[in-house]
């Protein structure tokens, strides 16, 4: 802290990425494990009171560290080494997820269902605001109530208990498709008495993987991978060894990095079937896409064709790729329209992309991208995870040097992103800087 006359200036040491643009990406790279699958899987370990879980292919990311910290706080024992997480929840005694941890990550709400199902009581701090608009949790609470929980909100906490002693199977019909609420409902229903049916369930691969994980633990779930799930409650589940799936959003981001630089890359360790909507859009944009059972090769065209996308629940184009697609379309030969039907206000990246020279307008929940624009490097600020990814993509093609500040957003969800991009020919260095407030 510096005291200058009447002013007190605090400074924080943070990481930034310094990107020298203009390198065509070329080569092979392997996808990391999925963040958004790891989180519900780790939460689901709370359902079991004995044994040790061995979870492989867990990405080494800040969000995973934060979530593991939350489990520690509840009493779990964890060890993480070389992407394998060993987890024992047998000594968990606390049922309270505190604000200090929940505020760091909204996905902490995933502990609600498992804690309630195992202990009959859970207290989870209400998650705060979000950088890209309202993110309510009403559907999580509705699902718990349907299963017989009594919920009250007091002193900033969700307090959930079961007056009947045990959750009871029920019919849960989600008015909106929600990944998190479907995950929580599933994790509660697997220990409920009787049968639960979920309609309009999220069918995202992250939920499909959670179902596979719960089934491997001994749960009975029908309809995996569809929007209608049926769960027979079990008395007890068991700890297992499990291989996590690849991160489809990281994979899409790396393909966009190749496409924006006019490059050609092969991604290994992926399942192209989970990326059909995204791959179709790359093809529409003029990219050549070849797939095998576990790889995707993308060759960029001479000129990118403007391609509209609408982000909607799976199997449609994912909202988590919307920002990266906007960055890509700044280089397409014409105008493209990007609509987000999940998070209508998720456009914080646009003013920053425009600072790099893009010409993007926002019309309600649509972004109108006028390409091609020559981008030129400057200092830009990350505001959330995928917004940061879009700035890195823009930096790869911008003339000169782009500095992306507040990289901690990016580190929440991309494992060694600059190492991976540099291995494909990018020129990115990570540096410390002081941010004054
Ligand atoms: C998950 O968030 C992902 N997070 C998000 O990824 C992703 O953007 C989102 O799903 C949509 O695909 C994790 O998996 C940890 P939702 P989640 O509930 O589960 C509304 C990233 O960048 N809704 O599927 O919180 C909500 O407002 C992150 O990795 C309610 O109305 O999202 C939204 O419009 C960011 N009430 C829609 O449902 C509720 O109770 C879908 O949200 C819950 C959600």
């Amino acid at each position: 802290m510096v005291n200058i006359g009447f002013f007190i200036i605090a400074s924080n040491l943070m990481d930034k990425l310094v990107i020298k643009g203009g390198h065509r990406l070329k080569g092979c790279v392997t996808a990391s494990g999925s963040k958004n699958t790891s989180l519900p899987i780790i939460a689901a370990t709370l359902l079991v009171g004995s044994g040790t879980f061995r979870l492989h292919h867990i990405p080494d990311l800040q969000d995973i560290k934060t979530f593991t910290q939350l489990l520690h706080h509840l009493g779990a024992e964890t060890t993480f080494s070389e992407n394998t997480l060993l987890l024992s929840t047998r000594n968990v005694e606390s049922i309270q997820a505190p604000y200090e941890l929940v505020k760091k990550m909204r996905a902490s709400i995933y502990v609600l269902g498992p804690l309630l199902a195992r202990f009959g009581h859970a207290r989870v701090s209400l998650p705060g605001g979000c950088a890209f608009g309202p993110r309510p949790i009403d559907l999580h609470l509705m699902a718990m109530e349907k299963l017989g929980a009594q919920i009250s909100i007091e002193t900033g906490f969700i307090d959930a208990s079961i007056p009947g002693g045990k959750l009871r199977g029920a019919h849960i019909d989600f008015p909106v498709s929600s990944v998190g609420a479907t995950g929580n409902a599933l994790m509660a229903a697997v220990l409920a008495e009787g049968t639960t049916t979920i309609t309009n369930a999220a069918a995202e691969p992250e939920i499909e993987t959670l179902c596979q994980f719960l089934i491997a633990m001994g749960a009975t779930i029908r309809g995996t991978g569809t929007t209608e799930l049926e769960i027979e409650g079990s008395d007890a589940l068991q700890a297992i060894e499990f291989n996590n799936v690849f991160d489809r959003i990281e994979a899409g981001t790396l393909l966009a990095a190749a496409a924006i630089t006019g490059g050609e890359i092969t991604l290994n360790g992926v399942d192209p079937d989970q990326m059909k909507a995204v791959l179709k859009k790359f093809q529409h944009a003029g990219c050549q896409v070849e797939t095998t059972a576990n790889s995707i090769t993308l060759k960029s065209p001479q000129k990118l064709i403007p391609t509209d996308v609408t982000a909607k629940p799976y199997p449609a184009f994912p909202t988590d790729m919307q920002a990266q697609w906007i960055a890509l379309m700044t280089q397409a030969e014409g105008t493209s329209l990007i609509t987000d039907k999940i998070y209508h206000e998720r456009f914080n990246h646009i003013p920053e992309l425009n600072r790099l020279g893009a010409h993007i307008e926002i019309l309600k929940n649509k972004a109108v991208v006028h390409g091609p624009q020559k981008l030129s490097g400057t200092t830009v600020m990350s505001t959330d995870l995928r917004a940061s990814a879009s700035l890195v993509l823009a930096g790869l093609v911008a003339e000169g040097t782009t500095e992306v500040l507040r990289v901690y957003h990016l580190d929440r969800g991309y494992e060694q992103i600059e190492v991976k991009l540099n291995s494909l020919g990018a020129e990115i260095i990570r540096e410390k800087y002081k941010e004054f407030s």
Side-chain angles (χ1 to χ4, degrees):
M1 194 160 332
V2 187
N3 194 342
I4 309 172
F6 293 111
F7 300 102
I8 294 182
I9 300 173
S11 69
N12 286 327
L13 208 53
M14 293 193 190
D15 280 9
K16 65 179 175 185
L17 292 184
V18 182
I19 307 169
K20 282 224 168 82
H23 298 286
R24 216 176 137 248
L25 299 195
K26 208 167 182 342
C28 294
V29 69
T30 301
S32 291
S34 161
K35 163 181 88 80
N36 288 348
T37 298
S38 301
L39 297 170
I41 282 178
I42 294 172
T45 67
L46 288 166
L47 290 163
V48 173
S50 62
T52 300
F53 286 87
R54 293 177 83 86
L55 311 180
H56 304 292
H57 206 34
I58 302 295
D60 190 357
L61 295 172
Q62 191 50 49
D63 268 12
I64 303 295
K65 291 192 181 101
T66 307
F67 206 64
T68 313
Q69 237 181 324
L70 174 56
L71 262 80
H72 257 299
H73 173 87
L74 298 173
E77 288 136 48
T78 64
T79 322
F80 187 64
S81 168
E82 292 180 10
N83 298 105
T84 291
L85 180 63
L86 302 186
L87 242 162
S88 164
T89 55
R90 97 192 80 157
N91 293 327
V92 166
E93 279 180 353
S94 169
I95 49 91
Q96 177 153 316
Y99 178 62
E100 295 67 47
L101 292 169
V102 177
K103 75 171 184 210
K104 289 189 184 168
M105 198 176 56
R106 299 183 60 82
S108 307
I109 188 79
Y110 268 137
V111 300
L112 179 67
L115 284 179
L116 184 64
R118 177 166 157 200
F119 297 102
H121 190 191
R123 278 175 62 79
V124 180
S125 172
L126 280 170
C130 171
F132 49 83
R135 289 181 72 187
I137 51 151
D138 55 316
L139 301 178
H140 297 249
L141 305 188
M142 179 273 270
M144 298 304 117
E145 280 177 335
K146 286 272 180 193
L147 292 167
Q150 199 169 64
I151 309 262
S152 62
I153 309 276
E154 51 195 39
T155 62
F157 275 85
I158 304 158
D159 188 287
S161 57
I162 314 175
K166 197 157 192 231
L167 292 173
R168 286 183 315 276
H171 176 58
I172 303 168
D173 180 35
F174 285 118
V176 172
S177 173
S178 161
V179 175
T182 303
N184 246 330
L186 270 165
M187 291 188 277
V190 288
L191 286 187
E193 222 166 67
T195 308
T196 299
T197 48
I198 307 179
T199 46
N200 198 23
E204 267 70 3
E206 290 73 21
I207 292 298
E208 189 175 349
T209 306
L210 174 63
C211 286
Q212 283 156 359
F213 184 71
L214 293 167
I215 290 169
M217 285 167 69
T220 305
I221 302 173
R222 287 181 280 273
T224 294
T226 74
T227 54
E228 295 200 6
L229 299 170
E230 189 175 276
I231 305 113
E232 298 291 346
S234 308
D235 286 334
L237 302 171
Q238 63 195 18
I240 53 162
E241 181 162 10
F242 193 78
N243 278 321
N244 185 27
V245 298
F246 81 107
D247 194 311
R248 64 190 174 108
I249 305 300
E250 185 214 28
T253 306
L254 291 167
L255 293 175
I260 203 169
T261 61
E264 176 179 339
I265 67 163
T266 296
L267 258 180
N268 293 315
V270 294
D271 174 359
D273 277 354
Q274 289 188 9
M275 297 186 61
K276 281 186 185 149
V278 171
L279 296 183
K280 214 167 133 191
K281 290 297 176 183
F282 276 115
Q283 282 170 323
H284 188 279
C287 301
Q288 249 182 62
V289 177
E290 280 165 26
T291 61
T292 69
N294 54 13
S295 75
I296 301 169
T297 299
L298 180 144
K299 289 182 194 160
S300 307
Q302 287 291 324
K303 289 181 174 177
L304 284 164
I305 301 163
T307 303
D308 299 349
V309 302
T310 300
K312 287 193 290 193
Y314 191 82
F317 192 92
T319 171
D320 291 345
M321 271 298 293
Q322 174 260 99
Q324 300 88 312
W325 197 262
I326 288 179
L328 181 63
M329 286 299 105
T330 64
Q331 302 307 301
E333 301 280 319
T335 299
S336 40
L337 210 63
I338 285 82
T339 312
D340 197 324
K341 293 217 164 165
I342 297 178
Y343 298 117
H344 300 228
E345 299 166 30
R346 194 178 193 177
F347 287 132
N348 283 335
H349 38 289
I350 290 178
E352 294 300 284
L353 288 170
N354 283 342
R355 292 188 60 249
L356 286 164
H359 179 196
I360 310 165
E361 297 168 282
I362 304 174
L363 298 176
K364 292 194 177 155
N365 70 332
K366 293 182 200 310
V368 186
V369 188
H370 303 281
Q373 292 290 325
K374 200 167 176 191
L375 305 184
S376 54
T378 186
T379 302
V380 285
M381 180 87 86
S382 299
T383 48
D384 68 67
L385 170 55
R386 309 303 170 187
S388 317
S390 77
L391 298 177
V392 171
L393 295 181
L396 290 174
V397 75
E399 205 172 82
T401 302
T402 299
E403 294 199 343
V404 182
L405 306 186
R406 297 197 179 175
V407 169
Y408 62 86
H409 289 293
L410 196 71
D411 292 338
R412 291 183 61 167
Y414 289 95
E415 194 178 46
Q416 299 199 309
I417 185 78
E418 75 270 28
V419 175
K420 285 192 179 185
L421 291 171
N422 285 346
S423 77
L424 296 168
E427 203 181 333
I428 307 177
I429 49 173
R430 182 179 285 257
E431 283 179 1
K432 297 273 178 215
Y433 74 102
K434 270 187 184 165
E435 194 162 288
F436 294 96
S437 57

